[in-house]
Amino acid sequence: MGHRLGDASTPARLAAPDEGIGRDELALATRNHGLPLEALRHDITPPGLHYVLTHYDIPYVPEGTPWPLTLDGRVGRPLRLDLSDLHRFPQVTTRVTLECAGNGRALLTPRPVSQPWLVEAVGTAEWTGVPLRLLLAEAGVEPDAVDVVFTGADHGVERGVEQDYRRALPVEVAMGGDPEVLVAHSMNGAPLPPQHGYPLRLIVPGWYGMAHVKWLRSITVADESFTGFQQAVAYRLRRDPGDAGEPVTRIAPRALLVPPGFPDFMSRARVVRPGTVALEGRAWSGRAPVTRVEVSTDAGHTWRDAEQAPDDGERWAWRRWRYEWTVTPGEHVLSARATDAGGHTQPLEQPWNRGGFVNNLVQRVPVLCLDDEDGSAGGDGE
Amino acid sequence: MGHRLGDASTPARLAAPDEGIGRDELALATRNHGLPLEALRHDITPPGLHYVLTHYDIPYVPEGTPWPLTLDGRVGRPLRLDLSDLHRFPQVTTRVTLECAGNGRALLTPRPVSQPWLVEAVGTAEWTGVPLRLLLAEAGVEPDAVDVVFTGADHGVERGVEQDYRRALPVEVAMGGDPEVLVAHSMNGAPLPPQHGYPLRLIVPGWYGMAHVKWLRSITVADESFTGFQQAVAYRLRRDPGDAGEPVTRIAPRALLVPPGFPDFMSRARVVRPGTVALEGRAWSGRAPVTRVEVSTDAGHTWRDAEQAPDDGERWAWRRWRYEWTVTPGEHVLSARATDAGGHTQPLEQPWNRGGFVNNLVQRVPVLCLDDEDGSAGGDGE
């Protein structure tokens, strides 16, 4: 008759074949949200359109709430910094494309039961803050440091484990300058919105979202590897439950299309008229710069190079691409595929892991091209 | 072998018993989003947390795009107004709680297949714009006017019908001052975000969201009742497909709780420790002011009055309420119920209609209270 934490949690599981999305997955899908894909047109994602995933509740932090950030553990001089202290350090602004490690999960077979993303868990923003390496230098990291552990104010239970959200970076990543890790206080020139970590969050350019700890309260330098839930249990690539698994780190390359034409409300099917359709989209990789984007208009049978926008020097942000498509009446499937300078590319068949992480299967966008005579706004199709 | 608009659409349907949420419903749930319920703590919903529903794509309107608003039809002097013209009219700011007409749809049995909201399709903002009645007066409405039709720039197909999103208000509502209908250009003191209708939208305080036409391009005064898709086909209360149905208009009363304690990531179950828990939430009605909020902590068997915040004069916005709960270990179900000055209240058993509209069934929030000894942060429970 006891009432214990474990009663609130259910074990990790895979959906049965043909099992629809359940109430628990829907409860996550209605509170978290992706980027509506037409918003890929914006270089910087407008506020409210950037993807959001929160494990627990969004902490309620009214403006002016004291927020001392502590930095301690294996350091010579522990720090306790309020927001005005942080503003006395050099400030850096970086444009970063952030993607959820679970993006694409709901397309997997079998489907891991968790936040059911299709392909839209992405967004790009300009983040401003203090380079983490400057704070670590100020505190003086001891030579035996191994991991730097970041703790957020978001609190909950997961698989029976009560926790503040907590993740670590290897000390060489935390102290390195490539990528430049930030303790960020601003998003697109304004204080962080509540759902993006107000008042402080970590930004780790090129890494999946789980590393960018929101509502950041403390930083602890440790002389051993961090084994907290979000590091050792969640966010690992496993095929079998008993595997130790590889950690999820940097973002795999991906390209997405702005869906052309207009949608059907319910099916989200895309409709175009015959003629020339300017396809566009974005491509990114956290591993190396994107060097090639290809487009297929025949369900992946043949591929042609898209035209990439000139390099704008924003290494950690997505890059625009374009492709001119001449379309005739019928059903078509569009895809785009990114390849980066490290030779990583997107698979045409879905790899699989139990957590549903690091998916970068090429997107498939079915498009219906109407007959010429159906409607008046036709193009110059043949 | 023709390819026609109807091929993009599927007929309206109800889910089979125990049918999980489908891919089409999920595609809507990942792009639209609700208010994370902990954000009910904010008087004004922070940007990005207000619910969003778009039928088609969010139009891409870069800053500075010319946006002439036309007002024509049964008027003496047709108008064509750009944004600066609108700023020369008197400006009004109103705090409004907006709720989607389909809020609660995914809880219905059988479930109408559409955007699968649970209870979170709500938000409150301060909208600034020009009273519609001033624009109509400037144009001079003819005495035979019946409906005022509003057309947005969002374009798509729905049940085989290609359309710009279009809705009407009876002329007496459009010209009346209670509620004061606005042609709004600002949300919370800033230009409208793209997903909330940039650069112009209609605000109809007290009415469900479908009336608040976004990306507003034209206003047409008509001498007959408007029979467009969103008026005569969608947004009607029907039990059988052949019913003419009653139109969906004003928001029925509803109260929601800020879920207490902390959540489990996957089940979203709420966990508290024994002792005193300050419950709070919001209540609203578009029909008449909320006069009473009751709370049940025993799954609706008994009810006690909550304490409502003093009337702040914001007739069209939600109002805060509080209730102090002494909780002991075990499983509990919390509910809140709003009643308005018109005597409307929330049902304990779910009415049903084919569209899944105007649901205001009382919310049920299961809470697990842990045993005293499970964890260290216990309260003063018995």
Side-chain angles (χ1 to χ4, degrees), chain A residues 150-217:
Chain A
F150 305 90
T151 303
D154 41 335
H155 184 89
V157 54
E158 206 160 335
R159 311 299 176 209
V161 181
E162 186 175 349
Q163 57 191 286
D164 293 335
Y165 187 86
R166 189 171 283 147
R167 284 274 311 181
L169 290 173
V171 69
E172 60 274 15
V173 175
M175 298 186 71
D178 185 36
E180 178 86 279
V181 180
L182 299 181
V183 174
H185 50 73
S186 295
M187 180 183 190
N188 302 332
L192 301 177
Q195 69 274 30
H196 289 291
Y198 181 83
L200 289 179
R201 74 175 299 171
L202 205 64
I203 291 292
V204 191
W207 287 53
Y208 282 109
M210 77 284 149
H212 304 233
V213 177
K214 299 192 282 284
W215 310 291
L216 181 65
R217 291 196 312 178

Side-chain angles (χ1 to χ4, degrees), chain A residues 100-381:
Chain A
C100 185
N103 199 13
R105 179 183 290 122
L107 298 171
L108 296 179
T109 305
R111 180 180 81 248
V113 173
S114 184
Q115 164 71 38
W117 295 123
L118 297 167
V119 298
E120 61 293 300
V122 67
T124 295
E126 292 195 326
W127 305 93
T128 303
V130 180
L132 174 64
R133 61 189 169 84
L134 300 185
L135 300 180
L136 291 170
E138 176 86 2
V141 172
E142 301 287 355
D144 60 359
V146 173
D147 267 0
V148 181
V149 183
F150 305 90
T151 303
D154 41 335
H155 184 89
V157 54
E158 206 160 335
R159 311 299 176 209
V161 181
E162 186 175 349
Q163 57 191 286
D164 293 335
Y165 187 86
R166 189 171 283 147
R167 284 274 311 181
L169 290 173
V171 69
E172 60 274 15
V173 175
M175 298 186 71
D178 185 36
E180 178 86 279
V181 180
L182 299 181
V183 174
H185 50 73
S186 295
M187 180 183 190
N188 302 332
L192 301 177
Q195 69 274 30
H196 289 291
Y198 181 83
L200 289 179
R201 74 175 299 171
L202 205 64
I203 291 292
V204 191
W207 287 53
Y208 282 109
M210 77 284 149
H212 304 233
V213 177
K214 299 192 282 284
W215 310 291
L216 181 65
R217 291 196 312 178
S218 68
I219 301 172
T220 301
V221 180
D223 61 2
E224 55 185 8
S225 288
F226 177 63
T227 58
F229 181 91
Q230 303 296 346
Q231 204 90 15
V233 180
Y235 295 114
R236 298 187 81 88
L237 303 173
R238 295 187 179 90
R239 287 198 64 87
D240 294 301
D243 294 350
E246 288 298 309
V248 175
T249 59
R250 288 191 180 222
I251 298 174
R254 193 195 278 269
L256 290 177
L257 285 136
V258 174
F262 57 84
D264 177 74
F265 169 66
M266 191 63 224
S267 70
R268 306 316 290 175
R270 306 300 307 191
V271 179
V272 299
R273 290 199 159 80
T276 299
V277 174
L279 300 179
E280 63 171 312
R282 303 279 173 172
W284 63 93
S285 170
R287 298 179 180 172
V290 169
T291 49
R292 188 177 191 187
V293 178
E294 298 157 283
V295 170
S296 171
T297 60
D298 59 3
H301 289 99
T302 62
W303 295 85
R304 300 249 184 161
D305 281 326
E307 179 195 351
Q308 286 199 76
D311 184 358
D312 57 5
E314 300 286 357
R315 162 67 189 94
W316 304 110
W318 57 29
R319 200 164 156 190
R320 184 196 295 263
W321 56 264
R322 297 178 185 280
Y323 183 88
E324 198 163 278
W325 181 35
T326 301
V327 55
T328 53
E331 295 176 1
H332 305 271
V333 175
L334 304 179
S335 293
R337 177 170 62 182
T339 303
D340 72 22
H344 312 105
T345 191
Q346 297 184 244
L348 298 174
E349 298 196 15
Q350 181 67 67
W352 185 90
N353 62 81
R354 291 190 70 80
F357 299 121
V358 193
N359 301 297
N360 65 338
L361 182 70
V362 295
Q363 181 193 19
R364 289 171 56 89
V365 181
V367 177
L368 170 68
C369 180
L370 301 177
D371 291 343
D372 254 335
E373 65 270 28
D374 191 342
S376 55
D380 56 355

Side-chain angles (χ1 to χ4, degrees), chain A residues 9 57-58 162 264 270 273, chain B residues 9 38 57 162 264 273:
Chain A
S9 295
D57 286 357
I58 299 168
E162 186 175 349
D264 177 74
R270 306 300 307 191
R273 290 199 159 80
Chain B
S9 297
E38 65 271 26
D57 286 356
E162 185 175 350
D264 178 74
R273 291 198 159 81

